[in-house]
PDB file of all heavy atoms in Angstrom:
ATOM      1  N   ILE V  53     -49.330-122.623 211.510  1.00  0.00           N
ATOM      2  CA  ILE V  53     -49.386-123.766 210.605  1.00  0.00           C
ATOM      3  C   ILE V  53     -50.351-124.778 211.215  1.00  0.00           C
ATOM      4  O   ILE V  53     -50.630-124.743 212.413  1.00  0.00           O
ATOM      5  CB  ILE V  53     -48.005-124.410 210.330  1.00  0.00           C
ATOM      6  CG1 ILE V  53     -47.382-124.957 211.604  1.00  0.00           C
ATOM      7  CG2 ILE V  53     -47.075-123.429 209.648  1.00  0.00           C
ATOM      8  CD1 ILE V  53     -46.103-125.745 211.358  1.00  0.00           C
ATOM      9  N   ALA V  54     -50.848-125.685 210.399  1.00  0.00           N
ATOM     10  CA  ALA V  54     -51.780-126.705 210.870  1.00  0.00           C
ATOM     11  C   ALA V  54     -51.184-128.084 210.627  1.00  0.00           C
ATOM     12  O   ALA V  54     -50.868-128.434 209.489  1.00  0.00           O
ATOM     13  CB  ALA V  54     -53.125-126.575 210.164  1.00  0.00           C
ATOM     14  N   ILE V  55     -51.032-128.839 211.697  1.00  0.00           N
ATOM     15  CA  ILE V  55     -50.586-130.218 211.571  1.00  0.00           C
ATOM     16  C   ILE V  55     -51.818-131.077 211.321  1.00  0.00           C
ATOM     17  O   ILE V  55     -52.816-130.984 212.037  1.00  0.00           O
ATOM     18  CB  ILE V  55     -49.843-130.679 212.834  1.00  0.00           C
ATOM     19  CG1 ILE V  55     -48.522-129.921 212.940  1.00  0.00           C
ATOM     20  CG2 ILE V  55     -49.606-132.185 212.796  1.00  0.00           C
ATOM     21  CD1 ILE V  55     -47.667-130.323 214.118  1.00  0.00           C
ATOM     22  N   VAL V  56     -51.726-131.891 210.276  1.00  0.00           N
ATOM     23  CA  VAL V  56     -52.843-132.766 209.896  1.00  0.00           C
ATOM     24  C   VAL V  56     -52.287-134.157 209.621  1.00  0.00           C
ATOM     25  O   VAL V  56     -51.197-134.310 209.059  1.00  0.00           O
ATOM     26  CB  VAL V  56     -53.617-132.187 208.684  1.00  0.00           C
ATOM     27  CG1 VAL V  56     -52.743-132.104 207.449  1.00  0.00           C
ATOM     28  CG2 VAL V  56     -54.885-132.970 208.418  1.00  0.00           C
ATOM     29  N   LEU V  57     -53.029-135.152 210.026  1.00  0.00           N
ATOM     30  CA  LEU V  57     -52.606-136.537 209.878  1.00  0.00           C
ATOM     31  C   LEU V  57     -52.885-137.030 208.460  1.00  0.00           C
ATOM     32  O   LEU V  57     -53.954-136.781 207.907  1.00  0.00           O
ATOM     33  CB  LEU V  57     -53.361-137.394 210.891  1.00  0.00           C
ATOM     34  CG  LEU V  57     -52.871-138.818 211.122  1.00  0.00           C
ATOM     35  CD1 LEU V  57     -51.455-138.809 211.691  1.00  0.00           C
ATOM     36  CD2 LEU V  57     -53.816-139.530 212.076  1.00  0.00           C
ATOM     37  N   LEU V  58     -51.902-137.733 207.897  1.00  0.00           N
ATOM     38  CA  LEU V  58     -52.103-138.391 206.608  1.00  0.00           C
ATOM     39  C   LEU V  58     -52.981-139.624 206.808  1.00  0.00           C
ATOM     40  O   LEU V  58     -52.858-140.329 207.811  1.00  0.00           O
ATOM     41  CB  LEU V  58     -50.762-138.823 206.012  1.00  0.00           C
ATOM     42  CG  LEU V  58     -49.838-137.709 205.545  1.00  0.00           C
ATOM     43  CD1 LEU V  58     -48.447-138.255 205.250  1.00  0.00           C
ATOM     44  CD2 LEU V  58     -50.402-137.016 204.324  1.00  0.00           C
ATOM     45  N   GLN V  59     -53.846-139.880 205.853  1.00  0.00           N
ATOM     46  CA  GLN V  59     -54.678-141.083 205.919  1.00  0.00           C
ATOM     47  C   GLN V  59     -53.829-142.308 205.594  1.00  0.00           C
ATOM     48  O   GLN V  59     -52.806-142.214 204.908  1.00  0.00           O
ATOM     49  CB  GLN V  59     -55.843-140.972 204.938  1.00  0.00           C
ATOM     50  CG  GLN V  59     -56.871-139.949 205.347  1.00  0.00           C
ATOM     51  CD  GLN V  59     -58.070-139.937 204.415  1.00  0.00           C
ATOM     52  OE1 GLN V  59     -58.187-140.724 203.482  1.00  0.00           O
ATOM     53  NE2 GLN V  59     -58.977-139.014 204.669  1.00  0.00           N
ATOM     54  N   PRO V  60     -54.255-143.485 206.069  1.00  0.00           N
ATOM     55  CA  PRO V  60     -53.511-144.717 205.760  1.00  0.00           C
ATOM     56  C   PRO V  60     -53.329-144.891 204.253  1.00  0.00           C
ATOM     57  O   PRO V  60     -54.191-144.516 203.460  1.00  0.00           O
ATOM     58  CB  PRO V  60     -54.413-145.820 206.337  1.00  0.00           C
ATOM     59  CG  PRO V  60     -55.190-145.137 207.424  1.00  0.00           C
ATOM     60  CD  PRO V  60     -55.411-143.722 206.925  1.00  0.00           C
ATOM     61  N   GLY V  61     -52.190-145.449 203.868  1.00  0.00           N
ATOM     62  CA  GLY V  61     -51.877-145.669 202.462  1.00  0.00           C
ATOM     63  C   GLY V  61     -51.127-144.505 201.830  1.00  0.00           C
ATOM     64  O   GLY V  61     -50.932-144.476 200.620  1.00  0.00           O
ATOM     65  N   TRP V  62     -50.665-143.576 202.633  1.00  0.00           N
ATOM     66  CA  TRP V  62     -49.992-142.365 202.159  1.00  0.00           C
ATOM     67  C   TRP V  62     -48.638-142.639 201.511  1.00  0.00           C
ATOM     68  O   TRP V  62     -48.144-141.824 200.726  1.00  0.00           O
ATOM     69  CB  TRP V  62     -49.788-141.391 203.307  1.00  0.00           C
ATOM     70  CG  TRP V  62     -48.975-141.977 204.435  1.00  0.00           C
ATOM     71  CD1 TRP V  62     -49.451-142.638 205.527  1.00  0.00           C
ATOM     72  CD2 TRP V  62     -47.555-141.989 204.556  1.00  0.00           C
ATOM     73  NE1 TRP V  62     -48.419-143.065 206.322  1.00  0.00           N
ATOM     74  CE2 TRP V  62     -47.241-142.675 205.749  1.00  0.00           C
ATOM     75  CE3 TRP V  62     -46.511-141.494 203.772  1.00  0.00           C
ATOM     76  CZ2 TRP V  62     -45.935-142.879 206.180  1.00  0.00           C
ATOM     77  CZ3 TRP V  62     -45.205-141.690 204.205  1.00  0.00           C
ATOM     78  CH2 TRP V  62     -44.925-142.379 205.397  1.00  0.00           C
ATOM     79  N   GLU V  63     -48.007-143.763 201.805  1.00  0.00           N
ATOM     80  CA  GLU V  63     -46.611-144.007 201.432  1.00  0.00           C
ATOM     81  C   GLU V  63     -46.324-143.854 199.943  1.00  0.00           C
ATOM     82  O   GLU V  63     -45.329-143.244 199.560  1.00  0.00           O
ATOM     83  CB  GLU V  63     -46.168-145.410 201.897  1.00  0.00           C
ATOM     84  CG  GLU V  63     -46.154-145.586 203.391  1.00  0.00           C
ATOM     85  CD  GLU V  63     -47.505-145.988 203.990  1.00  0.00           C
ATOM     86  OE1 GLU V  63     -48.531-146.007 203.263  1.00  0.00           O
ATOM     87  OE2 GLU V  63     -47.539-146.284 205.189  1.00  0.00           O
ATOM     88  N   GLU V  64     -47.205-144.375 199.094  1.00  0.00           N
ATOM     89  CA  GLU V  64     -46.946-144.329 197.650  1.00  0.00           C
ATOM     90  C   GLU V  64     -47.138-142.941 197.060  1.00  0.00           C
ATOM     91  O   GLU V  64     -46.647-142.659 195.975  1.00  0.00           O
ATOM     92  CB  GLU V  64     -47.831-145.336 196.923  1.00  0.00           C
ATOM     93  CG  GLU V  64     -47.429-146.765 197.218  1.00  0.00           C
ATOM     94  CD  GLU V  64     -48.245-147.756 196.412  1.00  0.00           C
ATOM     95  OE1 GLU V  64     -48.767-147.376 195.349  1.00  0.00           O
ATOM     96  OE2 GLU V  64     -48.342-148.911 196.859  1.00  0.00           O
ATOM     97  N   GLN V  65     -47.845-142.055 197.756  1.00  0.00           N
ATOM     98  CA  GLN V  65     -48.138-140.720 197.234  1.00  0.00           C
ATOM     99  C   GLN V  65     -47.461-139.613 198.038  1.00  0.00           C
ATOM    100  O   GLN V  65     -47.808-138.450 197.889  1.00  0.00           O
ATOM    101  CB  GLN V  65     -49.640-140.467 197.254  1.00  0.00           C
ATOM    102  CG  GLN V  65     -50.449-141.405 196.421  1.00  0.00           C
ATOM    103  CD  GLN V  65     -51.939-141.120 196.579  1.00  0.00           C
ATOM    104  OE1 GLN V  65     -52.354-140.253 197.317  1.00  0.00           O
ATOM    105  NE2 GLN V  65     -52.745-141.872 195.868  1.00  0.00           N
ATOM    106  N   TYR V  66     -46.506-139.936 198.894  1.00  0.00           N
ATOM    107  CA  TYR V  66     -45.978-138.956 199.841  1.00  0.00           C
ATOM    108  C   TYR V  66     -45.481-137.676 199.167  1.00  0.00           C
ATOM    109  O   TYR V  66     -45.708-136.583 199.663  1.00  0.00           O
ATOM    110  CB  TYR V  66     -44.858-139.551 200.698  1.00  0.00           C
ATOM    111  CG  TYR V  66     -44.341-138.556 201.703  1.00  0.00           C
ATOM    112  CD1 TYR V  66     -45.122-138.198 202.801  1.00  0.00           C
ATOM    113  CD2 TYR V  66     -43.109-137.940 201.541  1.00  0.00           C
ATOM    114  CE1 TYR V  66     -44.686-137.267 203.716  1.00  0.00           C
ATOM    115  CE2 TYR V  66     -42.666-137.005 202.459  1.00  0.00           C
ATOM    116  CZ  TYR V  66     -43.457-136.678 203.545  1.00  0.00           C
ATOM    117  OH  TYR V  66     -43.015-135.746 204.441  1.00  0.00           O
ATOM    118  N   ASP V  67     -44.805-137.785 198.042  1.00  0.00           N
ATOM    119  CA  ASP V  67     -44.260-136.594 197.374  1.00  0.00           C
ATOM    120  C   ASP V  67     -45.312-135.827 196.591  1.00  0.00           C
ATOM    121  O   ASP V  67     -45.028-134.768 196.049  1.00  0.00           O
ATOM    122  CB  ASP V  67     -43.098-136.984 196.458  1.00  0.00           C
ATOM    123  CG  ASP V  67     -41.884-137.425 197.265  1.00  0.00           C
ATOM    124  OD1 ASP V  67     -41.666-136.871 198.352  1.00  0.00           O
ATOM    125  OD2 ASP V  67     -41.173-138.334 196.806  1.00  0.00           O
ATOM    126  N   GLU V  68     -46.501-136.356 196.499  1.00  0.00           N
ATOM    127  CA  GLU V  68     -47.585-135.684 195.790  1.00  0.00           C
ATOM    128  C   GLU V  68     -48.556-135.104 196.820  1.00  0.00           C
ATOM    129  O   GLU V  68     -48.168-134.306 197.647  1.00  0.00           O
ATOM    130  CB  GLU V  68     -48.250-136.674 194.838  1.00  0.00           C
ATOM    131  CG  GLU V  68     -47.277-137.182 193.773  1.00  0.00           C
ATOM    132  CD  GLU V  68     -47.801-138.392 193.039  1.00  0.00           C
ATOM    133  OE1 GLU V  68     -49.013-138.623 193.027  1.00  0.00           O
ATOM    134  OE2 GLU V  68     -46.973-139.126 192.473  1.00  0.00           O
ATOM    135  N   LYS V  69     -49.806-135.500 196.749  1.00  0.00           N
ATOM    136  CA  LYS V  69     -50.815-135.009 197.694  1.00  0.00           C
ATOM    137  C   LYS V  69     -51.624-136.173 198.242  1.00  0.00           C
ATOM    138  O   LYS V  69     -52.779-136.364 197.876  1.00  0.00           O
ATOM    139  CB  LYS V  69     -51.744-133.999 197.016  1.00  0.00           C
ATOM    140  CG  LYS V  69     -51.093-132.692 196.701  1.00  0.00           C
ATOM    141  CD  LYS V  69     -52.114-131.704 196.184  1.00  0.00           C
ATOM    142  CE  LYS V  69     -51.475-130.364 195.931  1.00  0.00           C
ATOM    143  NZ  LYS V  69     -52.434-129.372 195.505  1.00  0.00           N
ATOM    144  N   PRO V  70     -51.037-136.958 199.150  1.00  0.00           N
ATOM    145  CA  PRO V  70     -51.815-138.062 199.703  1.00  0.00           C
ATOM    146  C   PRO V  70     -52.996-137.538 200.513  1.00  0.00           C
ATOM    147  O   PRO V  70     -52.953-136.420 201.036  1.00  0.00           O
ATOM    148  CB  PRO V  70     -50.816-138.800 200.594  1.00  0.00           C
ATOM    149  CG  PRO V  70     -49.753-137.817 200.887  1.00  0.00           C
ATOM    150  CD  PRO V  70     -49.707-136.865 199.722  1.00  0.00           C
ATOM    151  N   PRO V  71     -54.054-138.330 200.609  1.00  0.00           N
ATOM    152  CA  PRO V  71     -55.239-137.883 201.357  1.00  0.00           C
ATOM    153  C   PRO V  71     -54.906-137.593 202.821  1.00  0.00           C
ATOM    154  O   PRO V  71     -54.075-138.265 203.433  1.00  0.00           O
ATOM    155  CB  PRO V  71     -56.200-139.062 201.237  1.00  0.00           C
ATOM    156  CG  PRO V  71     -55.727-139.843 200.059  1.00  0.00           C
ATOM    157  CD  PRO V  71     -54.254-139.635 199.983  1.00  0.00           C
ATOM    158  N   ILE V  72     -55.581-136.581 203.361  1.00  0.00           N
ATOM    159  CA  ILE V  72     -55.398-136.174 204.748  1.00  0.00           C
ATOM    160  C   ILE V  72     -56.710-136.316 205.502  1.00  0.00           C
ATOM    161  O   ILE V  72     -57.778-136.394 204.898  1.00  0.00           O
ATOM    162  CB  ILE V  72     -54.896-134.711 204.845  1.00  0.00           C
ATOM    163  CG1 ILE V  72     -55.856-133.764 204.123  1.00  0.00           C
ATOM    164  CG2 ILE V  72     -53.474-134.583 204.310  1.00  0.00           C
ATOM    165  CD1 ILE V  72     -55.542-132.281 204.256  1.00  0.00           C
ATOM    166  N   GLU V  73     -56.625-136.328 206.811  1.00  0.00           N
ATOM    167  CA  GLU V  73     -57.820-136.368 207.643  1.00  0.00           C
ATOM    168  C   GLU V  73     -58.533-135.017 207.564  1.00  0.00           C
ATOM    169  O   GLU V  73     -57.953-134.022 207.132  1.00  0.00           O
ATOM    170  CB  GLU V  73     -57.458-136.711 209.085  1.00  0.00           C
ATOM    171  CG  GLU V  73     -56.840-138.088 209.250  1.00  0.00           C
ATOM    172  CD  GLU V  73     -57.783-139.232 208.904  1.00  0.00           C
ATOM    173  OE1 GLU V  73     -59.022-139.035 208.888  1.00  0.00           O
ATOM    174  OE2 GLU V  73     -57.282-140.343 208.650  1.00  0.00           O
ATOM    175  N   SER V  74     -59.765-134.966 207.999  1.00  0.00           N
ATOM    176  CA  SER V  74     -60.568-133.746 207.877  1.00  0.00           C
ATOM    177  C   SER V  74     -60.417-132.796 209.055  1.00  0.00           C
ATOM    178  O   SER V  74     -60.893-131.666 209.002  1.00  0.00           O
ATOM    179  CB  SER V  74     -62.045-134.102 207.704  1.00  0.00           C
ATOM    180  OG  SER V  74     -62.509-134.807 208.842  1.00  0.00           O
ATOM    181  N   VAL V  75     -59.739-133.236 210.115  1.00  0.00           N
ATOM    182  CA  VAL V  75     -59.518-132.382 211.282  1.00  0.00           C
ATOM    183  C   VAL V  75     -58.019-132.218 211.484  1.00  0.00           C
ATOM    184  O   VAL V  75     -57.257-133.188 211.390  1.00  0.00           O
ATOM    185  CB  VAL V  75     -60.173-132.969 212.549  1.00  0.00           C
ATOM    186  CG1 VAL V  75     -59.839-132.134 213.774  1.00  0.00           C
ATOM    187  CG2 VAL V  75     -61.686-133.058 212.362  1.00  0.00           C
ATOM    188  N   ALA V  76     -57.593-130.990 211.745  1.00  0.00           N
ATOM    189  CA  ALA V  76     -56.187-130.669 211.975  1.00  0.00           C
ATOM    190  C   ALA V  76     -56.089-129.852 213.258  1.00  0.00           C
ATOM    191  O   ALA V  76     -57.106-129.459 213.838  1.00  0.00           O
ATOM    192  CB  ALA V  76     -55.630-129.870 210.787  1.00  0.00           C
ATOM    193  N   CYS V  77     -54.873-129.588 213.681  1.00  0.00           N
ATOM    194  CA  CYS V  77     -54.658-128.706 214.822  1.00  0.00           C
ATOM    195  C   CYS V  77     -53.873-127.483 214.347  1.00  0.00           C
ATOM    196  O   CYS V  77     -52.755-127.610 213.846  1.00  0.00           O
ATOM    197  CB  CYS V  77     -53.893-129.417 215.931  1.00  0.00           C
ATOM    198  SG  CYS V  77     -53.638-128.386 217.401  1.00  0.00           S
ATOM    199  N   LEU V  78     -54.485-126.331 214.489  1.00  0.00           N
ATOM    200  CA  LEU V  78     -53.826-125.080 214.157  1.00  0.00           C
ATOM    201  C   LEU V  78     -52.879-124.733 215.298  1.00  0.00           C
ATOM    202  O   LEU V  78     -53.277-124.758 216.470  1.00  0.00           O
ATOM    203  CB  LEU V  78     -54.855-123.966 213.977  1.00  0.00           C
ATOM    204  CG  LEU V  78     -54.304-122.593 213.606  1.00  0.00           C
ATOM    205  CD1 LEU V  78     -53.644-122.624 212.232  1.00  0.00           C
ATOM    206  CD2 LEU V  78     -55.419-121.559 213.652  1.00  0.00           C
ATOM    207  N   GLY V  79     -51.642-124.440 214.961  1.00  0.00           N
ATOM    208  CA  GLY V  79     -50.651-124.122 215.983  1.00  0.00           C
ATOM    209  C   GLY V  79     -49.854-122.883 215.632  1.00  0.00           C
ATOM    210  O   GLY V  79     -49.777-122.488 214.467  1.00  0.00           O
ATOM    211  N   ARG V  80     -49.270-122.295 216.660  1.00  0.00           N
ATOM    212  CA  ARG V  80     -48.418-121.113 216.496  1.00  0.00           C
ATOM    213  C   ARG V  80     -46.975-121.497 216.814  1.00  0.00           C
ATOM    214  O   ARG V  80     -46.708-122.135 217.832  1.00  0.00           O
ATOM    215  CB  ARG V  80     -48.862-119.989 217.419  1.00  0.00           C
ATOM    216  CG  ARG V  80     -47.895-118.794 217.351  1.00  0.00           C
ATOM    217  CD  ARG V  80     -48.346-117.587 218.143  1.00  0.00           C
ATOM    218  NE  ARG V  80     -49.389-116.915 217.374  1.00  0.00           N
ATOM    219  CZ  ARG V  80     -50.645-116.777 217.773  1.00  0.00           C
ATOM    220  NH1 ARG V  80     -51.025-117.226 218.944  1.00  0.00           N
ATOM    221  NH2 ARG V  80     -51.530-116.161 217.015  1.00  0.00           N
TER     222      ARG V  80
END
Side-chain angles (χ1 to χ4, degrees):
I53 62 173
I55 292 182
V56 63
L57 193 63
L58 291 168
Q59 290 184 3
W62 59 269
E63 295 86 353
E64 290 184 24
Q65 299 176 359
Y66 182 72
D67 290 326
E68 298 166 21
K69 290 187 177 183
I72 56 175
E73 297 295 340
S74 62
V75 175
C77 182
L78 181 65
R80 175 174 283 117

